[in-house]
Amino acid sequence: MTNNKFKKLITELCPKGVEFLELGGVITDLRTGLNPRQNFKLNPPDGSNWYITVRELAGFDIKYSEKTDKVDDDGLSIIQKRSRLKVGDVLFSGTGTIGRTALVKDAPLDWNIKEGVYAITPNHKILNSRYLIYIFHNLIDKIVAQADGSTVASISMKNLKKFKIPLPPLPIQEEIVKIIDTFTELEAELEAELEARKKQYEYYINGLFKLENADHQPLGEIGHFTRGKRFVKNDILEEGFPCIHYGEMYTYYNVWTEKTKSFISPDLASRLRTAHYGDVVLVAAGETIEDIGNAVAWLGNSDVVIHDACFAFSHKLNPKYVSYFFRTNNFRSQIKRYVSSGKISAINDRGLAKAIIPIPSDKEQERIVSILDKFDALVNDISVGLPAELAARRKQYEYYRNKLLTFKEYEN
């Protein structure tokens, strides 16, 4: 992918290598915003000016989300005395999630940055803004290694200025940007397609379970719930009797599984409760109401121990059909009224048993599962479909980015 033009430019313009210079020597300004708690009111009723935090920084765009904060005109005037943005500035998160970036493509007066978001003005005579962003992406591990802070990591502006970057001539920077942009555009296209497929998947999950002509029964009448018993992370082994810890339900399991991530000793397993083949294991406690109801159908050859924050639902329906149903807005809205909220949110078996599920024929259950399995593989399976393609593209991007941005250092 490193084209002939790039190689020719390297040969002509820097045959002996590239200078490595401190960031502070190739920029004209580095500044940050203010802390709202100390200087102005955040999100007042008349706030209409954008207040950019780390979460809005994303590559070459500013991602305004529903959570984006705002300030009023008084707050704006206070901030802009310190951190007025300019076209071509590079925004860099110096605290929290260090290294997130964005390019200021235009600088309307109602843009502001929070303390910890750094606005960097490159010396455009020698440094391309997009090239600097790619340099940050490529060297982020080294930058993070210099961060301070025990609870919230941060790198000071002073230390960031001392960070050395390779500085080839502008024509080489521009050619590098052109090549890497090709990868980022392809990646952005895949991400957009994946997001569209996820929305389509969600639409079908909810739509396929609107079965007006099917029999509808409470879960408690077609099966029963068994609550697991407590075991802790220190009980978990690399091999032994299969078990499902409730924390893994959010991060590891999807619609169904034949194998577990974790195991416990057979002796401990004999004193705990298990799910059987075809049971659907679902979470009954979590930090938020939205955590309740995450489910996985157990299709393994043996029984599996379940945590006390989970229930096993035993039934005679298609296991995947039930697991998909637990992902619908219909099911979530039904159980929401039975969830108790305190330090944690929780639901008992009586509340779960009252949720009503549509029960079509076995053939129709299989048809629905077949449709949703294809969507699920497309948007969630890391070995096939869009996630696999996106992961491969990101590896390719990182490989070529590293290759293009690795230079022999010129020694004078």
Side-chain angles (χ1 to χ4, degrees), residues 372-383:
L372 293 179
D373 274 353
K374 292 173 183 176
F375 273 108
D376 184 68
L378 185 64
V379 302
N380 289 320
D381 195 327
I382 60 173
S383 62

Side-chain angles (χ1 to χ4, degrees), residues 218-225 313-316 353:
L219 292 173
E221 294 184 9
I222 62 169
H224 65 273
F225 291 91
F313 178 59
S314 302
H315 57 92
K316 294 184 178 179

Side-chain angles (χ1 to χ4, degrees), residues 142-183:
K142 293 181 179 179
I143 296 174
V144 171
Q146 295 185 9
D148 300 317
S150 56
T151 54
V152 179
S154 63
I155 182 166
S156 68
M157 291 190 290
K158 180 180 177 181
N159 287 339
L160 189 60
K161 281 184 177 181
K162 293 179 180 179
F163 206 86
K164 284 191 173 184
I165 66 169
L167 194 74
L170 270 177
I172 292 178
Q173 295 179 39
E174 292 164 356
E175 190 62 24
I176 288 172
V177 166
K178 188 185 299 183
I179 295 170
I180 300 181
D181 276 354
T182 303
F183 286 102

Side-chain angles (χ1 to χ4, degrees), residues 26-28 121-129 167-171 173-174:
V26 295
I27 62 176
T28 61
T121 302
N123 179 348
H124 296 294
K125 293 181 180 178
I126 59 173
L127 179 60
N128 181 290
S129 297
L167 194 74
L170 270 177
Q173 295 179 39
E174 292 164 356

Side-chain angles (χ1 to χ4, degrees), residues 216-223 313 334 352-357 359:
H216 289 69
Q217 294 186 40
L219 292 173
E221 294 184 9
I222 62 169
F313 178 59
Q334 289 188 71
L352 290 169
K354 292 177 182 178
I356 294 174
I357 183 174
I359 308 176

Side-chain angles (χ1 to χ4, degrees), residues 34-305:
L34 295 170
N35 188 322
R37 291 192 296 270
Q38 300 171 357
N39 297 278
F40 51 87
K41 189 174 182 180
L42 191 61
N43 293 321
D46 57 345
S48 59
N49 305 294
W50 296 113
Y51 184 65
I52 301 166
T53 64
V54 170
R55 65 175 172 265
E56 277 83 56
L57 304 187
F60 293 107
D61 295 300
I62 304 234
K63 301 294 185 184
Y64 292 126
S65 67
E66 293 179 0
K67 295 181 180 179
T68 300
D69 298 314
K70 293 186 178 182
V71 296
D72 58 17
D73 291 342
D74 289 338
L76 174 65
S77 64
I78 294 171
I79 298 172
Q80 289 191 335
K81 290 177 182 178
R82 177 169 173 175
S83 58
R84 178 76 175 270
L85 300 182
K86 303 172 186 175
V87 174
D89 281 354
V90 172
L91 301 185
F92 179 91
S93 59
T95 187
T97 309
I98 296 175
R100 298 190 70 174
T101 58
L103 179 66
V104 178
K105 295 180 179 178
D106 53 33
L109 295 178
D110 60 351
W111 280 23
N112 323 273
I113 55 175
K114 184 182 179 182
E115 180 184 41
V117 175
Y118 301 155
I120 304 167
T121 302
N123 179 348
H124 296 294
K125 293 181 180 178
I126 59 173
L127 179 60
N128 181 290
S129 297
R130 294 171 74 85
Y131 171 81
L132 178 59
I133 285 181
Y134 284 134
I135 283 291
F136 281 145
H137 292 177
N138 204 50
L139 300 179
I140 188 58
D141 289 342
K142 293 181 179 179
I143 296 174
V144 171
Q146 295 185 9
D148 300 317
S150 56
T151 54
V152 179
S154 63
I155 182 166
S156 68
M157 291 190 290
K158 180 180 177 181
N159 287 339
L160 189 60
K161 281 184 177 181
K162 293 179 180 179
F163 206 86
K164 284 191 173 184
I165 66 169
L167 194 74
L170 270 177
I172 292 178
Q173 295 179 39
E174 292 164 356
E175 190 62 24
I176 288 172
V177 166
K178 188 185 299 183
I179 295 170
I180 300 181
D181 276 354
T182 303
F183 286 102
T184 58
E185 288 166 7
L186 289 171
E187 186 176 325
E189 290 174 4
L190 283 172
E191 287 174 342
E193 184 178 354
L194 180 58
E195 186 61 30
R197 293 294 187 180
K198 284 181 177 178
K199 289 181 179 178
Q200 192 177 23
Y201 176 40
E202 185 178 346
Y203 170 81
Y204 272 96
I205 282 182
N206 290 303
L208 287 170
F209 282 91
K210 293 179 180 178
L211 302 165
E212 296 179 0
N213 296 326
D215 185 21
H216 289 69
Q217 294 186 40
L219 292 173
E221 294 184 9
I222 62 169
H224 65 273
F225 291 91
T226 302
R227 185 163 203 147
K229 281 191 173 182
R230 181 174 175 76
F231 60 92
V232 297
K233 287 187 177 181
N234 288 342
D235 295 323
I236 293 177
L237 308 172
E238 293 185 1
E239 57 182 25
F241 196 92
C243 68
I244 294 177
H245 188 273
Y246 87 99
E248 298 165 350
M249 296 288 287
Y250 309 116
T251 59
Y252 185 77
Y253 295 109
N254 193 19
V255 178
W256 63 277
T257 186
E258 295 176 327
K259 300 177 181 179
T260 60
K261 178 183 180 181
S262 305
F263 303 86
I264 57 175
S265 69
D267 178 63
L268 177 59
S270 67
R271 303 194 299 272
L272 301 178
R273 291 177 183 153
T274 60
H276 314 297
Y277 178 90
D279 288 354
V280 177
V281 180
L282 72 159
V283 177
E287 293 184 1
T288 67
I289 292 177
E290 288 71 25
D291 291 339
I292 308 300
N294 284 357
V296 57
W298 174 245
L299 302 179
N301 293 327
S302 69
D303 289 348
V304 59
V305 166

